[in-house]
Amino acid sequence: MTSIKIMDVRSNEPFWLVKNGIKHSYPSLREDIDADVLIVGGGITGALMAHAAVKKGYKTVVIDKREIANGSTSATTSMLQYEIDIPLYKLKQLIGDQGAIASYMACRDAIYKLEELVEEVQSACGFEKKESVYFAGNSKDLKWLKTEYDARLSAGFEVKWLNKAELRAAYGLIGEGGILSEDGGSVDAFCLAHDLLHYNTERGLRVFDKTELKKVKYVKGGIEALTHTGAKINAKKVIYCTGYETQGMLPDKVVNLKSTYAMISERGAGHAEICKKTLFWNTDAPYLYMRTTADGRLLVGGEDVDFKNALRRDLLLGKKKERLIKTLKKYLPDVMFIEDFCWCGTFGETKDGLPYIGVHPKFPDSYFLLGFGGNGITFSVTGADMIIGMMEGKPDLLSHYFRFQR
């Protein structure tokens, strides 16, 4: 196996990097070491996987070719939702009722697991429990959005339908109607990734940044990983938490790359008080998403386009920022938004909105934890537990629906 090609997954300095600075530093790997589990990727997904592995008693090593959490994790908007990019009623048509409802339920449960995890490691990531409003910006989307509401209600989710007047009265939001969900949250994923890794280094985890994986050799009893520093890691299992860059090493295409744009306001954007505890996203394609931060800023994102290359993505930043502000004013006309930070990043969409978690037939003694889509963090919480179960010979129901070559 060749190394994972370095990809420019973000541009400008996202707010989270500036806000947090250098939380913790780690050395590059300069000597041969042994491990039960090698985790490739030190973003939020790798950090969650490392926490689960250490908790189960595995001798665990994390490597990252960048500094810790400086890839997509530094650019994420960190909206925690159980809603998947594919609506529940459509997902039921694609994979059946059992898999669709189980996928949605897993994302909902992951929010509460994450809340417990933040408390466990005493993270300063600003986790906040929030409600979520999924609204139709135009009348043509109302019919299917009501179908989606019915699907969620019948599946047991705590939801309420809001009409046009209720959206305006409660949130100052201009919309035709929407679904209010009780289960949502937000977090600073960059901070949480650092806090998780630091917590576990005190419990035996070894972390090495600026250590690029160059080659994996499959040997009896596990793998031998060669890094660009010349150091080798002998491990029983390797877990790839390498996000969208993983596509470069896989023989089959599993994800379509997208460029997304985000901006964040100065403190005190003038939004309604209730907006502080609410996530917003709409039915547009591509959809607009909004949330507040723990320090009172308004974060707005969207304007997604197909990813061509990093240069083209970055050149669109100014134009996309103007369109985001215009769209924000359309839906929240009373908000005073003064931009403080603006950035763009790369994410991916799968054919069914679901992640790829588990084994791949071309990679012995290997697992993949690839969140993808708008639910990368909640999928990663679920996936970390799933992979531990697989390693112990106890696969989860969702391993069937999240498998490769599905």
Side-chain angles (χ1 to χ4, degrees):
M1 187 201 80
T2 56
S3 62
I4 299 169
K5 183 180 178 182
I6 294 180
M7 178 178 170
D8 183 0
V9 294
R10 60 172 176 80
S11 73
N12 283 12
E13 289 305 304
F15 171 68
W16 313 114
L17 280 178
V18 179
K19 173 181 175 289
N20 289 289
I22 300 175
K23 281 189 69 70
H24 302 287
S25 288
Y26 298 96
S28 56
L29 181 61
R30 299 289 167 175
E31 61 181 5
D32 296 352
I33 57 173
D34 298 322
D36 295 326
V37 174
L38 167 63
I39 296 171
V40 183
I44 184 61
T45 300
L48 287 163
M49 188 68 248
H51 182 75
V54 171
K55 202 168 201 177
K56 277 291 183 177
Y58 291 107
K59 185 179 178 183
T60 306
V61 170
V62 172
I63 62 171
D64 195 298
K65 63 193 173 192
R66 302 182 181 88
E67 293 180 342
I68 290 300
N70 268 243
S72 295
T73 296
S74 67
T76 178
T77 54
S78 300
M79 290 174 64
L80 305 174
Q81 299 167 278
Y82 70 81
E83 295 101 329
I84 295 167
D85 288 344
I86 301 292
L88 178 58
Y89 81 94
K90 282 189 176 180
L91 191 59
K92 288 166 69 175
Q93 296 168 4
L94 284 173
I95 66 172
D97 289 9
Q98 182 185 47
I101 294 171
S103 298
Y104 265 69
M105 288 288 187
C107 287
R108 183 197 63 182
D109 295 345
I111 297 170
Y112 294 94
K113 289 179 183 177
L114 200 61
E115 183 177 26
E116 293 173 0
L117 192 60
V118 168
E119 179 63 27
E120 178 186 348
V121 304
Q122 291 293 290
S123 175
C125 64
F127 175 92
E128 293 180 294
K129 185 72 180 59
K130 296 192 175 186
E131 62 184 23
S132 174
V133 173
Y134 186 29
F135 69 96
N138 55 72
S139 57
K140 69 179 178 62
D141 290 337
L142 268 181
K143 183 177 179 180
W144 72 256
L145 189 59
K146 286 183 177 178
T147 300
E148 174 66 4
Y149 167 74
D150 291 337
R152 294 188 194 182
L153 192 64
S154 65
F157 291 98
E158 194 171 348
V159 291
K160 177 183 177 182
W161 181 260
L162 300 177
N163 62 31
K164 186 174 184 177
E166 289 169 326
L167 287 174
R168 181 63 169 157
Y171 306 100
L173 182 69
I174 304 296
E176 298 298 319
I179 302 170
L180 172 64
S181 297
E182 289 299 315
D183 304 304
S186 62
V187 70
D188 176 345
F190 179 90
C191 178
L192 179 57
H194 269 281
D195 289 347
L196 280 167
L197 293 175
H198 180 69
Y199 175 88
N200 284 289
T201 55
E202 297 179 343
R203 287 155 181 80
L205 175 67
R206 287 171 293 175
V207 180
F208 302 94
D209 66 6
K210 296 184 179 176
T211 300
E212 184 179 354
L213 177 67
K214 298 301 290 184
K215 187 176 182 180
V216 170
K217 182 180 179 181
Y218 303 105
V219 298
K220 185 177 180 180
I223 62 99
E224 181 182 273
L226 177 66
T227 69
H228 85 288
T229 63
K232 293 180 182 178
I233 306 167
N234 295 295
K236 296 174 183 176
K237 302 291 181 183
V238 57
I239 305 172
Y240 295 98
C241 300
T242 41
Y244 317 118
E245 293 168 291
T246 315
Q247 182 61 79
M249 63 181 278
L250 294 173
D252 39 344
K253 185 175 182 180
V254 298
V255 65
N256 293 316
L257 297 183
K258 296 280 186 176
S259 298
T260 190
Y261 299 83
M263 59 183 185
I264 201 165
S265 75
E266 295 179 354
R267 294 183 183 179
H271 42 263
E273 187 67 23
I274 196 171
C275 292
K276 294 180 181 179
K277 65 170 188 174
T278 312
L279 309 174
F280 297 97
W281 59 307
N282 70 1
T283 57
D284 291 349
Y287 59 80
L288 177 81
Y289 48 90
M290 302 177 284
R291 76 169 179 91
T292 59
T293 62
D295 62 348
R297 302 169 186 266
L298 182 62
L299 188 157
V300 183
E303 286 295 321
D304 305 343
V305 294
D306 290 337
F307 175 83
K308 300 296 184 183
N309 56 66
L311 178 60
R312 181 173 178 179
R313 177 197 65 195
D314 298 352
L315 288 174
L316 289 172
L317 185 57
K319 179 181 178 182
K320 294 295 187 179
K321 178 180 67 174
E322 291 176 2
R323 291 184 64 171
L324 280 173
I325 292 174
K326 183 178 180 180
T327 306
L328 169 66
K329 289 294 185 182
K330 174 184 175 182
Y331 292 122
L332 286 175
D334 301 328
V335 167
M336 179 185 68
F337 188 95
I338 302 174
E339 176 210 335
D340 208 358
F341 295 88
C342 186
W343 68 92
C344 48
T346 301
F347 76 104
E349 291 180 342
T350 62
K351 59 186 178 182
D352 51 16
L354 299 178
Y356 285 88
I357 298 171
V359 299
H360 191 288
K362 298 291 185 181
F363 299 86
D365 293 313
S366 306
Y367 297 91
F368 291 84
L369 177 44
L370 309 175
F372 295 150
N375 285 56
I377 297 175
T378 51
F379 279 144
S380 295
V381 173
T382 300
D385 290 338
M386 287 175 62
I387 287 180
I388 292 296
M390 292 176 194
M391 291 171 64
E392 297 180 341
K394 295 177 272 187
D396 185 275
L397 163 71
L398 288 172
S399 61
H400 172 75
Y401 297 101
F402 296 172
R403 73 191 187 282
F404 285 94
Q405 300 176 337
R406 58 180 182 255

